[in-house]
Amino acid sequence: MAAAQAGDRRAYERVLADSVALIRAVARRQGVATDALDDVVQETLLTVHRVRHTYDPARSYDAWLSAIAGRRAIDALRSHGRRGRRELHDEFVLDRQPDRDDASADAERRQQARRLREAIAQLPPGQREAVEQLGLREQSLAEAAAQTGRNTGALKVNLHRALKALRGRLHGDD
């Protein structure tokens, strides 16, 4: 590593290649899973690259590298622990999710779209116009106001009331 610090590129490549075995051993001792070892090796080598100027040639390279590898292994274990608490591992989740190509799911989507169109058609004219302009055509408030000749405040109020009415009709919420 001292030669690498002095600018010897080949020495630097050799020291990084020779470091992989020690990094893997440190990570395994820390309890890193086999499928995460490569990530720890990569993170450790990146850290070594960033902090290589801090290595003191009067001290053991292996001890310096082991300390860095140990920290990266702990980081990986912490990350895995956080991810494990967030992720759900439900073996039946795929069975409960509708298949995009499933004919019954497609029929259900068409039925929901029909119910939505019918519910929008039953809205008072001002609310229906606000939903059509702002929701369906995705116009901005300024564009919808110019198109309808109504002010933006009235459009906002009508849209809010329309969405509340649609929720009530479609989901039974009031």
Side-chain angles (χ1 to χ4, degrees):
M1 184 58 153
Q5 284 178 318
D8 185 343
R9 182 181 174 132
R10 283 203 173 114
Y12 187 56
E13 289 173 0
R14 265 193 325 272
V15 80
L16 291 180
D18 293 345
S19 297
V20 171
L22 178 60
I23 296 168
R24 283 180 167 278
V26 168
R28 269 192 234 105
R29 266 196 315 265
Q30 291 283 346
V32 173
T34 306
D35 61 339
L37 285 175
D38 288 338
D39 292 338
V40 173
V41 169
Q42 183 178 10
E43 287 299 319
T44 302
L45 291 176
L46 287 170
T47 302
V48 166
H49 180 72
R50 281 192 306 268
V51 300
R52 65 185 180 273
H53 64 280
T54 66
Y55 169 68
D56 180 3
R59 296 185 171 236
S60 165
Y61 173 76
D62 287 354
W64 181 77
L65 178 64
S66 293
I68 294 171
R71 286 189 219 108
R72 295 299 79 86
I74 289 170
D75 290 345
L77 290 169
R78 286 180 180 150
S79 173
H80 180 72
R82 283 190 300 268
R83 191 173 35 250
R85 285 192 299 268
R86 285 192 311 259
E87 293 179 1
L88 296 175
H89 301 283
D90 188 350
E91 60 197 51
F92 302 109
V93 73
L94 289 176
D95 293 336
R96 286 183 269 164
Q97 295 297 319
D99 187 1
R100 276 190 299 149
D101 300 326
D102 185 8
S104 63
D106 190 41
E108 186 177 334
R109 281 192 296 271
R110 283 195 307 270
Q111 184 180 20
Q112 288 173 345
R114 181 187 48 77
R115 287 181 56 217
L116 179 60
R117 281 192 304 275
E118 289 171 358
I120 291 172
Q122 293 173 2
L123 290 172
Q127 292 178 12
R128 185 174 55 247
E129 186 176 47
V131 168
E132 289 171 350
Q133 298 297 321
L134 298 170
L136 300 177
R137 293 188 186 143
E138 298 180 352
Q139 292 182 336
S140 69
L141 275 170
E143 292 169 336
Q147 179 114 10
T148 62
R150 301 170 63 214
N151 68 39
T152 57
L155 285 169
K156 283 184 191 179
V157 168
N158 282 326
L159 180 62
H160 174 74
R161 289 179 180 164
L163 293 176
K164 185 176 178 183
L166 290 172
R167 266 193 299 275
R169 286 188 182 129
L170 297 173
H171 301 293
D173 300 341
D174 283 32

